[in-house]
Amino acid sequence: THDVALVPIVADDVLVMRRGTIVESGSAAGVVSAPTHPYTVELLAAEKALQRTQSGQFIQVEDGSWVKK
């Protein structure tokens, strides 16, 4: 799935892949709560940013950056 927040709900274990290569694996709860690979960290940060955006806490401004509403 690309919905990182859903992973611990629907899976016991997870593999994180980047460009067809496994970069991290482990228990779903462990990988989501304490990622060790930089790519996994980026994925989780993007998911959190998306959740904040969808909740209306942030808006994207003209230069492409995000600011608090």
Side-chain angles (χ1 to χ4, degrees):
T1 182
H2 288 92
D3 187 344
V4 180
L6 187 63
V7 170
I9 296 168
V10 299
D12 294 323
D13 298 302
V14 65
L15 297 172
V16 178
M17 297 182 73
R18 182 174 189 202
R19 297 183 178 161
T21 301
I22 297 170
V23 295
E24 186 163 1
S25 65
S27 73
V31 169
V32 170
S33 66
T36 58
H37 192 276
Y39 182 68
T40 309
V41 173
E42 289 177 26
L43 285 176
L44 292 169
E47 176 70 22
K48 288 177 184 171
L50 180 61
Q51 289 171 356
R52 288 191 304 266
T53 302
Q54 290 174 337
S55 70
Q57 294 178 13
F58 290 83
I59 58 171
Q60 192 169 22
V61 293
E62 193 172 304
D63 69 358
S65 61
W66 292 90
V67 295
K68 192 165 186 160
K69 230 176 176 181

